[in-house]
Amino acid sequence: MFERLSPPLIRIRLQALLRALRPAALGGDGRERARAALGALLGLLATALITAWLAPASPWLVAPLGASAVLVFAVPASPLAQPWAVLGGNGLSALVGVVVMQLGLAAPLAAALAVALAIGTMFVLRCLHPPGGAAALLMVLSGITDPRFALLPVAVNSVLLVLVGMAYHPLTGRRYPHPQWPEPVARDREAQGLDADLQTVLARHTEVLDISPADLRGLLAELQLQGQQRRLTQLRCGDIMSRQPITVRRDTPLTQAWSLFREHRIKALPVVDAAGGVIGILTPADVLRSAEGAAAESLGSRMDALRQLLRGRGDGLPERVGEVMSREVRVARVDRHLAELLPLFAGSGHHHLPILGLDGRLVGILTQSDVVKALARLG
């Protein structure tokens, strides 16, 4: 078949094969690796000593337990490392090997059949444990026909190793046994939908995954949160601001400005100069304060003053935007990150922020509504 492939295609396939064979980087820092190695040391040592004390005439350790220690102490979250997987996988597989040995088959056939039946048994009883295949093979290679060997030392070794793991992991900040299914807690509709989708996908996936549904869901949740944080840090004012804001000039009549408030249902009017630069901002509160300051103390007098002001017939009352606007204006550039401005909207009472282009002219306005919409899209 290779004769029909061109040299470039052969090279591409060889490169793909080499990438597939390349070992993946293992997780865990140096401290975690030392923790796992120490756990295996203590687990196997305690198992050997206790087994030797319980049954001096019996072998104090079986070889597959070394592989079980790797799973229990190095990957305690794996479904293959849970207590029932260790006990059932080793004990039942050893028993399968003993039964196959009693059939009197040729050694190669007996070895292969023992491992195959052990795998099938572990699948059916939900105790898949890779060292279980070695336990079944050990029975055949050692010529063991006594079923009691599956109990002592194999099952006893497995129980003791699991008990040490259950004591060691919590002391070192790890959970063991590790929950394989999400805990039943109240969850919103979206989370329940995610759980249902996850179960559907797992049911459709025919390969065995060395990760529990609970851990998989946790990773998905962390991935979503990480994605939201990344998108938030990349979001800039120019991406979400309201463009072409309605503006007024310093000499715009207050009556006209008030009409703009009512017509467009907005809460702020940037005040710009002839070049488009921001020199102030006008809010309905500024207009109300101007009428209040020029009126008497009573509520009726203040309301009369406000009506006169908005009709343009108030003697002694301000008439132009420049007389009442706020001159101290917080602004932001169009390329500024939204994450930097969230504290401004959340804690200082800002509802609107003029946005300047790179040339210093007004190009938009950022409101609390714009921020809320952007955060909702990120969720």
Side-chain angles (χ1 to χ4, degrees):
M1 181 176 180
F2 272 96
E3 290 77 341
R4 300 179 183 178
L5 299 177
S6 63
L9 185 57
I10 294 177
R11 183 169 61 253
I12 292 173
R13 292 194 175 183
L14 287 176
Q15 291 173 347
L17 177 61
L18 291 176
R19 284 196 298 270
L21 295 175
R22 181 181 178 182
L26 296 177
D29 54 15
R31 182 176 180 179
E32 174 62 20
R33 296 172 185 179
R35 191 195 68 81
L38 178 60
L41 169 65
L42 297 176
L44 290 173
L45 179 60
T47 299
L49 293 176
I50 295 174
T51 304
W53 175 72
L54 291 174
S58 173
W60 42 273
L61 276 182
V62 290
L65 210 67
S68 296
V70 174
L71 289 169
V72 170
F73 294 99
V75 283
S78 169
L80 308 179
Q82 301 314 300
W84 170 237
V86 179
L87 177 58
N90 285 335
L92 295 176
S93 295
L95 187 59
V96 168
V98 170
V99 172
V100 171
M101 189 62 196
Q102 293 177 342
L103 298 178
L105 303 174
L109 177 59
L113 182 61
V115 174
L117 291 177
I119 293 175
T121 301
M122 289 187 287
F123 266 121
V124 171
L125 298 179
R126 299 185 179 184
C127 57
L128 189 64
H129 187 62
L137 185 61
L138 178 64
M139 302 301 104
V140 175
L141 297 180
S142 302
I144 297 173
T145 58
D146 186 353
R148 291 178 296 181
F149 194 90
L151 176 62
L152 181 67
V154 178
V156 172
N157 278 178
S158 301
V159 170
L160 292 173
L161 187 72
V162 165
L163 290 177
V164 175
M166 293 175 67
Y168 178 76
H169 283 298
L171 293 176
T172 57
R174 295 292 182 272
R175 299 180 69 180
Y176 186 81
H178 195 84
Q180 298 301 294
W181 292 95
E183 298 179 1
V185 296
R187 297 169 59 78
D188 57 35
R189 183 174 300 178
E190 182 177 353
Q192 292 174 356
L194 177 62
D195 289 344
D197 292 341
L198 178 60
Q199 294 305 321
T200 300
V201 172
L202 290 177
R204 196 164 54 232
H205 197 88
T206 57
E207 296 182 19
V208 176
L209 298 179
D210 192 12
I211 184 172
S212 69
D215 289 340
L216 186 57
R217 191 187 71 180
L219 290 174
L220 288 175
E222 290 187 27
L223 181 62
Q224 289 177 333
L225 180 59
Q226 181 65 30
Q228 292 171 1
Q229 294 175 343
R230 174 182 53 79
R231 292 192 296 272
L232 179 59
T233 58
Q234 294 176 345
L235 207 56
R236 299 176 185 270
C237 292
D239 299 324
I240 66 170
M241 68 182 184
S242 299
R243 299 180 181 277
Q244 298 179 346
I246 300 169
T247 63
V248 292
R249 303 287 288 273
R250 183 193 299 269
D251 57 353
T252 300
L254 284 177
T255 53
Q256 181 180 341
W258 190 264
S259 297
L260 291 175
F261 284 134
R262 297 184 60 183
E263 178 183 353
H264 297 281
R265 297 184 179 182
I266 55 179
K267 298 179 180 179
L269 287 169
V271 185
V272 298
D273 57 20
V278 177
I279 59 174
I281 196 164
L282 182 71
T283 67
D286 295 323
V287 180
L288 296 175
R289 277 195 299 270
S290 66
E292 181 179 346
E297 291 295 329
S298 67
L299 177 60
S301 299
R302 289 198 293 268
M303 294 303 296
D304 287 340
L306 178 61
R307 284 192 289 267
Q308 294 296 325
L309 183 152
L310 297 179
R311 292 171 184 167
R313 298 200 302 267
D315 295 335
L317 295 177
E319 298 180 355
R320 304 292 175 179
V321 167
E323 300 176 58
V324 300
M325 70 180 185
S326 298
R327 289 174 171 77
E328 295 183 3
V329 189
R330 292 290 297 267
V331 297
R333 288 211 331 175
V334 69
D335 58 349
R336 190 168 180 184
H337 289 95
L338 175 62
E340 301 174 12
L341 300 175
L342 288 180
L344 182 65
F345 284 95
S348 61
H350 268 71
H351 299 280
H352 30 256
L353 191 68
I355 304 300
L356 306 182
L358 301 182
D359 57 359
R361 293 188 297 177
L362 182 71
V363 294
I365 189 166
L366 185 63
T367 67
Q368 279 189 335
S369 297
D370 295 326
V371 174
V372 171
K373 291 177 183 178
L375 295 178
R377 288 197 296 269
L378 290 180

